[in-house]
Amino acid sequence: MLITYGSSSEALARSVAKESNIPIVETARRFFPDGEQYVQISGALSGEDVVLIHSFALSPDTLLVEYLLLVDAIKSGGCRSLTAVIPYFAYLRQDSRFKPGEPLSAKVFASLVEFPRVDRIITIDAHLHRFRTLSELFHTPSLNLSAMPLLADYYLKNFGNNNTVVVGPDAESEQWAKVVAERLSSPYIIMEKVRLGDREVSVRGNASVKDKNVVLVDDIISTGMTLVKVIRMLLAEGANRVDALVTHALLVEDSYQKLKGAGLGNLISTDTVPGQHSKVSVAPLISRAIKNLP
Ligand code: R5P
């Protein structure tokens, strides 16, 4: 087996290679003067089971083209199988035609990812809501791993579970909040969110969190406004402290400053989107999954 990577996940791929003791094959990407991309794989892939690790965070459209070029380059090298590990999978929140004239972006993007025919697709905490499972999105065999147990273990080790309550900001977060609550032996509360615009949400719910240490749980922070609204509400209800566990910290624009301004304590995320809050690596998760491939 060999591991290779796209430009968005080089460090993570190196961690997975180290963790699983599997050799890494280097890749290079550059842009032509007109904005088109060029990729190159340097290594013999013939007869190998290749794992390509490549997240689609923050510039998904460009990263998708890089992925398509990489898959073509890898397959032309005569590998035996190709597993695409996409730690952060983009476009899944547009999982319905919310207004007339809209595309079903989740399905379109998923179709493009499986278009060059890989043998399997692995992702982490995919935003599955109206599509309940990956098999509703892909024909390709697929696997959705979860970083929530790792995030919960990090929290437990560093902050304990004294007087903790887990809060999920919206209906879809229940799947993740439940896992963390179980790991922390704590109760959980799910709020109700209505999205009013790209940077605007309203949140309501019965937040009985007086004097509690709240652990907010979500899959993605993008503009941060979902968590900003919830943090303000929880602190107004008398929460002692509010920390957040989030798998994919996209943290666009000045979202982190907004979260701190609202009173957020610690933000703990993973390296599916590498950044200063990536305290937890998903490398062991990916490593275990690829070692157990059929
Ligand atoms: C959507 O339901 C997701 O689970 C997140 O809650 C959402 O993407 C967060 O977005 P933002 O940080 O822009 O509020």
Side-chain angles (χ1 to χ4, degrees):
M1 185 175 264
L2 295 171
I3 291 172
T4 191
Y5 57 86
S7 62
S8 59
S9 300
E10 180 177 343
L12 175 57
R14 291 196 192 286
S15 304
V16 175
K18 197 168 165 200
E19 177 91 26
S20 52
N21 206 18
I22 296 172
I24 198 152
V25 171
E26 304 295 339
T27 62
R29 173 181 75 153
R30 68 180 178 86
F31 287 87
F32 288 108
D34 58 6
E36 292 178 2
Q37 294 180 71
Y38 170 90
V39 304
Q40 191 180 23
I41 313 266
S42 39
L45 305 176
S46 177
E48 299 282 357
D49 292 312
V50 178
V51 175
L52 167 64
I53 305 179
H54 186 50
S55 258
F56 290 136
L58 295 168
S59 49
D61 307 358
T62 307
L63 292 170
L64 173 69
V65 172
E66 182 187 352
Y67 162 86
L68 295 170
L69 298 175
L70 283 167
V71 169
D72 185 71
I74 293 166
K75 288 179 69 172
S76 73
C79 61
R80 191 174 76 151
S81 72
L82 175 53
T83 297
V85 177
I86 301 165
Y88 173 70
F89 205 97
Y91 280 98
L92 294 182
R93 287 167 292 171
Q94 184 78 27
D95 57 1
S96 175
R97 297 180 203 275
F98 298 101
K99 293 181 195 145
E102 288 184 348
L104 189 49
S105 309
K107 191 78 185 161
V108 172
F109 195 80
S111 310
L112 289 169
V113 170
E114 69 178 351
F115 152 76
R117 287 178 182 269
V118 295
D119 293 277
R120 58 190 79 75
I121 295 167
I122 299 177
T123 188
I124 299 176
D125 290 325
H127 187 84
L128 294 174
H129 183 36
R130 291 169 187 87
F131 290 104
R132 309 293 304 175
T133 62
L134 289 182
S135 58
E136 292 174 39
L137 280 165
F138 299 120
H139 302 289
T140 311
S142 53
L143 184 60
N144 184 27
L145 306 173
S146 181
M148 290 300 166
L150 294 176
L151 286 166
D153 289 351
Y154 180 95
Y155 185 89
L156 201 53
K157 192 168 160 212
N158 289 277
F159 307 105
N161 62 347
N162 186 25
N163 219 11
T164 47
V165 58
V166 173
V167 175
D170 48 27
E172 51 265 53
S173 67
E174 184 163 7
Q175 56 189 305
W176 305 298
K178 216 169 163 173
V179 173
V180 173
E182 201 178 311
R183 213 82 173 186
L184 298 184
S185 311
S186 301
Y188 71 89
I189 300 170
I190 301 299
M191 316 293 275
E192 282 170 54
K193 176 173 87 181
V194 178
R195 184 161 286 284
L196 307 166
D198 292 350
R199 292 173 176 75
E200 214 186 329
V201 298
S202 78
V203 179
R204 58 183 194 152
N206 171 18
S208 317
V209 294
K210 189 156 172 39
D211 300 327
K212 297 283 185 188
N213 293 320
V214 176
V215 185
L216 264 177
V217 174
D218 210 353
D219 58 338
I220 302 167
I221 296 180
S222 179
T223 66
M225 288 320 288
T226 297
L227 295 195
V228 162
K229 282 285 166 75
V230 182
I231 292 163
R232 283 192 191 136
M233 187 173 168
L234 296 169
L235 290 173
E237 293 288 335
N240 180 44
R241 200 181 78 217
V242 183
D243 298 312
L245 303 182
V246 173
T247 306
H248 314 290
L250 298 173
L251 288 173
V252 304
E253 302 157 358
D254 58 348
S255 48
Y256 184 63
Q257 284 67 31
K258 284 186 182 138
L259 288 161
K260 288 309 272 185
L264 177 67
N266 300 285
L267 170 59
I268 299 140
S269 69
T270 78
D271 51 359
T272 61
V273 185
Q276 57 166 318
H277 308 287
S278 306
K279 307 281 185 217
V280 172
S281 178
V282 292
L285 198 64
I286 297 174
S287 179
R288 217 173 309 134
I290 60 176
K291 286 204 151 177
N292 288 329
L293 288 177

